[in-house]
């Protein structure tokens, strides 16, 4: 792409630079330049503040009949940002600064004023010492006294710095790091110990749970074996003593119905069984009489039906059991009366 950027120009063979007309520009001509405000200022017309560094399109011109050691001085024209009033300032090469001319006032000149005051005092002192030798001696005495005070203050500062230098900051930092390291190790050990204790507690709990589960399984298996060995109908064939012994041994006792508690059974040893008396047959009475033959089958059948009802239908009503027992009592009483006759 360099061939497109042509820097040389073509001059024909008959080119004569003397024929080019010269521009006659005035010496005080002005140029438009872009600059920034060199200091903080305030407009005199509207009171607008213009801070340092604000950019302006200014007109620049050379000040006529003013030079500083052969250096020209330039003047700049700007306009206020609010009221468009013209503000001018120029360069000050003697103080390496800018000087305000008109249209605004400069703000924050404390440093500059102090420097000017110091220069003024120094100039007055030199003028006094020029024609008064006693003033020179007095000024020297003051300077020596001031120098001694400065040296004393400097010595005090050095001693103070030496006292502070005795403190071993590196050692303090090392000790602090060592303490911090020990604290971290201690916290780590405590965490490990707590973790170990928690794991041990969990392990013991699991072992206890497993033992309890095994005991429960053994107990349930033993109960199932006993329940399988015992039949539900065994309670009907066993005697009361067997049932009591089994209940004392740990086996569950059979449930007694309410009618059995109130009336009882004929084959048991209840209150009604004592009222029934059975006659023992003798050797002489081989053949029963006609009345016995007629009554005995009825009594036997009634006794069988009563016993059968008591065993086979335990949930019958109390009134039926009572009537059957009374009929049996009447039959036995009739048979006994016949025998006695």
């Amino acid at each position: 792409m360099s061939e497109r950027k042509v820097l040389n120009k073509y001059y024909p063979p008959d080119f004569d630079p003397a024929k080019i007309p010269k521009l006659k520009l005035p010496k005080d001509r002005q140029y438009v330049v872009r600059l920034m405000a060199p200091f903080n200022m305030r407009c005199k017309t509207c009171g607008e503040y213009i801070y340092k560094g604000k950019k302006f399109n200014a007109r620049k011109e050379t000040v006529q009949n003013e030079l500083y050691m052969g250096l020209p001085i330039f003047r700049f024209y700007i306009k206020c940002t609010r009221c468009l009033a013209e503000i001018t300032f120029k360069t000050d090469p003697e103080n390496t600064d800018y000087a305000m001319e008109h249209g605004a006032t400069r703000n924050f000149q404390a440093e500059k004023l102090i420097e000017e005051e110091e220069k003024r005092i120094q100039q007055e002192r030199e003028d006094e010492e020029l024609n008064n030798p006693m003033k020179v001696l007095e000024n020297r005495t003051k300077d020596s006294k001031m120098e001694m005070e400065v040296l004393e203050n400097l010595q005090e500062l050095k001693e103070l710095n030496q006292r502070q230098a005795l403190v071993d900051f590196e050692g303090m930092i090392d000790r602090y790091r060592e303490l911090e390291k020990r604290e971290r190790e201690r916290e780590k050990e405590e965490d490990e110990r707590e973790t170990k204790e928690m794991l041990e507690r969990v392990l013991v709990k699991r072992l206890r749970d497993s033992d309890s589960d095994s005991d429960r399984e053994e107990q349930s298996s033993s109960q199932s074996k006993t329940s399988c060995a015992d039949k539900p109908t065994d309670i009907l064939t066993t005697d009361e003593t067997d049932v009591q012994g089994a209940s004392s041994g740990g086996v569950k006792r059979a449930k007694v119905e309410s009618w059995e508690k109130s009336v009882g059974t004929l084959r048991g040893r209840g209150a009604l069984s004592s009222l029934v008396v059975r006659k023992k047959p003798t050797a002489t009475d081989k053949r029963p009489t006609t009345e016995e033959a007629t009554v005995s089958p009825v009594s036997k059948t009634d006794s069988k039906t009563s016993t059968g009802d008591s065993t086979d239908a335990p949930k019958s009503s109390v009134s039926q059991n009572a009537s059957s027992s009374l009929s049996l009592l009447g039959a036995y009483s009739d048979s006994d009366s016949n025998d006695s006759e």
Side-chain angles (χ1 to χ4, degrees), residues 19-20 23 44 47 54 68 70 75 78 101 111 122 125 141 160 164 181 219 231 240 254 256 260 287 289 305 326 341:
K19 294 180 181 180
I20 298 173
L23 295 176
K44 289 182 179 179
K54 188 172 180 62
Y68 175 75
R75 184 182 285 114
I78 62 174
E101 283 191 331
E111 186 177 358
Q122 185 68 21
R125 181 177 177 180
T141 305
L160 183 61
Q164 293 180 354
K181 186 177 180 181
Q219 188 176 1
K231 294 181 180 180
E240 185 178 359
V256 179
E260 291 181 353
R287 292 181 181 180
T289 60
T305 55
L326 290 174
E341 287 176 358

Side-chain angles (χ1 to χ4, degrees), residues 2 27 73 75 99 107 118 167 194 223 281 293 315 324:
S2 60
K27 293 183 179 180
I73 297 173
R75 184 182 285 114
N107 300 330
E118 288 178 354
V167 180
E194 290 178 358
Q223 289 179 359
K315 295 183 180 180
S324 63

Side-chain angles (χ1 to χ4, degrees), residues 88-107:
T88 62
F89 56 89
K90 61 182 180 179
T91 59
D92 188 7
E94 183 179 358
N95 299 317
T96 62
D97 199 0
Y98 290 85
M100 176 63 65
E101 283 191 331
H102 73 278
T105 56
R106 186 171 179 175
N107 300 330

